[in-house]
């Protein structure tokens, strides 16, 4: 079942336009948010007490906080990308190795970018921003790449998997804003057009091979190297220094709140501290090797650090999570409905 809206991208006298190929039948929030029970006043009071008692609160957010902004997640039952399509996210090793794969990725991302970049924070993002301004939020860690926390004004923030609004050169490391790359795409492809169906959590859309064959991809203006979004693709590694930084913030905290994450070990992003990595980078065997050595990290590992420190843990997520048995409070509610009800004092 396809629930997302189609996009058409066409050039008209050097001016690009985006339009829906068919109308959406529902608002963005209803498209990608799984069903949840009505708010339980008792649970709301319990979360209020949890937040009130917290003096150095660390919040970790996942894709579930952004579904109410119209960005689908991957795993949600019936409404996640995996449930609605057989498409899977691009793998890091494929992107790095293959120019045709990079061409296909950037063509699809070019079409999806205007819609993806236009998404705005929902009440849950604004609530967490308010908590920071009121001194309640010690640190915010997000697994999302959509920049919605930044748009909401959060500054005490770590984007664990990077941000789609930045572009990185794979050769020299030069960073540029994604918006500037969109302009370069338009200049290189003045007569190119495509129609797509569906936008993924990372701004990707679905195009045919025929559509992408003529799409021109610019190189780094500094060194001519290939460009990549400044995000951790599936199968890539998160910077160990960033992981250590987050662990330090967890140890400084006195409580931890998970918002919109199932905390599953990804079939996706791996954080690896493996000395043999340069020798085995060319094979997916490094994934199983580092699994066996216990070196793979996920959001769950931060929960384990919190448990070791005996921090109280609360989880707000529709559906079960990997850490439900470690939490003193579990809430199955929409993030945007519940968080604005909490007074950060």
């Amino acid at each position: 079942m396809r629930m997302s809206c189609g996009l058409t991208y066409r050039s008209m006298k050097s001016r690009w336009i985006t339009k829906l190929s068919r109308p959406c039948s529902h608002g963005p929030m209803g498209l990608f948010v799984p069903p949840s029970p009505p708010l339980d006043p008792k649970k709301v009071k319990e979360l209020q007490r949890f937040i009130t008692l917290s003096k150095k609160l660390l919040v970790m957010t996942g894709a579930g906080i952004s579904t109410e902004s119209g960005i689908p997640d991957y795993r949600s039952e019936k409404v996640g990308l995996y449930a609605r399509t057989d498409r899977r996210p691009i793998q890091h090793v494929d992107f790095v190795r293959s120019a045709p794969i990079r061409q296909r990725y950037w063509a699809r991302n070019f079409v999806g970018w205007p819609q993806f970049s236009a998404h705005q924070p929902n009440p849950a993002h604004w609530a967490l921003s308010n908590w920071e301004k009121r001194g309640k939020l010690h640190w915010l860690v997000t697994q999302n790449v959509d920049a919605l926390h930044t748009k909401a004004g959060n500054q005490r923030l770590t984007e664990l998997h990077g941000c789609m609004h930045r572009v990185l050169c794979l050769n020299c490391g030069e960073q540029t804003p994604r918006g500037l790359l969109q302009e370069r795409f338009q200049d290189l492809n003045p007569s190119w057009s495509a129609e797509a169906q569906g936008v993924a959590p990372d701004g990707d859309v679905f195009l045919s091979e025929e559509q992408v064959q003529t799409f021109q991809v610019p190189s780094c203006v500094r060194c001519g190297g290939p460009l990549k979004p400044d995000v951790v693709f599936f199968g890539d590694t998160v910077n160990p220094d960033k992981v250590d930084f987050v662990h330090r913030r967890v140890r400084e905290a006195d409580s931890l709140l998970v918002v919109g994450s199932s905390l599953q070990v990804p079939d996706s992003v791996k954080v690896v501290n493996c000395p043999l990595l340069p020798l085995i980078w060319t094979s997916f065997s490094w994934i199983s090797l580092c699994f066996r050595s216990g070196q793979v990290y996920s959001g769950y590992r931060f929960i384990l650090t919190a448990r070791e420190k005996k921090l109280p843990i609360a989880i707000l997520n529709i559906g079960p999570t990997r850490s439900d048995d470690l939490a003193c409070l579990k809430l199955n509610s929409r993030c945007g409905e519940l968080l604005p009800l909490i007074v950060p004092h």
Side-chain angles (χ1 to χ4, degrees), residues 82-93:
Y82 290 166
R84 295 181 293 110
T85 173
D86 60 358
R87 301 284 183 148
R88 293 297 180 265
I90 191 169
Q91 296 289 326
H92 174 83
V93 67

Side-chain angles (χ1 to χ4, degrees), residues 138-193:
H138 175 59
W139 205 261
L140 174 61
V141 180
T142 185
Q143 301 172 89
N144 301 335
V145 297
D146 51 35
L148 294 186
H149 287 302
T150 299
K151 288 182 179 181
N154 281 106
Q155 297 182 350
R156 300 180 66 83
L157 170 68
T158 295
E159 295 171 319
L160 190 63
H161 298 155
C163 180
M164 286 296 301
H165 288 250
R166 298 186 299 268
V167 177
L168 181 71
C169 174
L170 289 174
N171 285 356
C172 71
E174 177 82 358
Q175 281 190 355
T176 55
R178 175 61 180 80
L180 293 180
L181 181 60
Q182 191 75 359
E183 295 176 2
R184 296 183 65 198
F185 282 138
Q186 293 171 3
D187 292 341
L188 283 177
N189 299 276
S191 60
W192 187 84
S193 65

Side-chain angles (χ1 to χ4, degrees), residues 50-323:
F50 179 91
I51 299 302
T52 299
L53 294 176
S54 301
K55 304 305 177 186
K56 297 188 73 175
L57 174 68
L58 185 138
V59 177
M60 183 165 61
T61 67
I65 194 174
S66 293
T67 55
E68 293 177 57
S69 291
I71 300 176
D73 65 8
Y74 288 110
R75 287 191 174 89
S76 286
E77 185 177 356
K78 297 182 180 180
V79 296
L81 190 69
Y82 290 166
R84 295 181 293 110
T85 173
D86 60 358
R87 301 284 183 148
R88 293 297 180 265
I90 191 169
Q91 296 289 326
H92 174 83
V93 67
D94 295 333
F95 186 94
V96 172
R97 286 177 176 177
S98 172
I101 287 179
R102 291 195 295 272
Q103 179 191 41
R104 182 172 70 243
Y105 174 84
W106 280 122
R108 290 157 50 160
N109 187 270
F110 170 65
V111 175
W113 178 251
Q115 179 175 335
F116 180 81
S117 61
H119 286 297
Q120 295 300 314
N122 65 58
H125 296 99
W126 291 114
L128 293 178
S129 177
N130 182 47
W131 291 9
E132 180 179 317
K133 294 173 183 176
R134 299 281 293 273
K136 175 58 67 175
L137 186 65
H138 175 59
W139 205 261
L140 174 61
V141 180
T142 185
Q143 301 172 89
N144 301 335
V145 297
D146 51 35
L148 294 186
H149 287 302
T150 299
K151 288 182 179 181
N154 281 106
Q155 297 182 350
R156 300 180 66 83
L157 170 68
T158 295
E159 295 171 319
L160 190 63
H161 298 155
C163 180
M164 286 296 301
H165 288 250
R166 298 186 299 268
V167 177
L168 181 71
C169 174
L170 289 174
N171 285 356
C172 71
E174 177 82 358
Q175 281 190 355
T176 55
R178 175 61 180 80
L180 293 180
L181 181 60
Q182 191 75 359
E183 295 176 2
R184 296 183 65 198
F185 282 138
Q186 293 171 3
D187 292 341
L188 283 177
N189 299 276
S191 60
W192 187 84
S193 65
E195 184 169 336
Q197 291 289 333
V199 181
D202 60 357
D204 193 14
V205 299
F206 309 140
L207 299 176
S208 68
E209 290 298 324
E210 292 75 14
Q211 288 175 304
V212 306
Q213 286 178 353
T214 60
F215 188 77
Q216 300 297 309
V217 180
S219 301
C220 174
V221 295
R222 180 179 178 182
C223 73
L227 299 176
K228 172 186 172 295
D230 189 14
V231 300
V232 181
F233 278 149
F234 278 36
D236 194 5
T237 60
V238 179
N239 188 322
D241 291 338
K242 183 181 290 189
V243 175
D244 291 342
F245 177 86
V246 173
H247 278 295
R248 290 197 299 271
R249 301 291 82 76
V250 173
R251 295 186 185 100
E252 293 169 356
D254 65 2
S255 56
L256 190 150
L257 172 64
V258 177
V259 178
S261 177
S262 63
L263 299 169
Q264 296 295 325
V265 174
D267 47 353
S268 56
V269 177
K270 312 292 188 291
V271 179
V272 184
N273 183 14
C274 181
L276 298 179
L277 185 58
L279 303 179
I280 52 181
W281 177 252
T282 57
S283 171
F284 278 111
S285 63
W286 70 268
I287 296 178
S288 59
L289 170 65
C290 293
F291 259 119
R292 291 194 299 272
S293 66
Q295 301 285 355
V296 174
Y297 283 72
S298 72
Y300 178 68
R301 295 300 294 266
F302 301 127
I303 301 298
L304 296 182
T305 297
R307 184 184 68 171
E308 291 168 3
K309 197 172 180 290
K310 296 182 170 57
L311 301 184
I313 299 169
I315 299 176
L316 169 58
N317 186 70
I318 299 175
T321 80
R322 195 182 180 201
S323 298

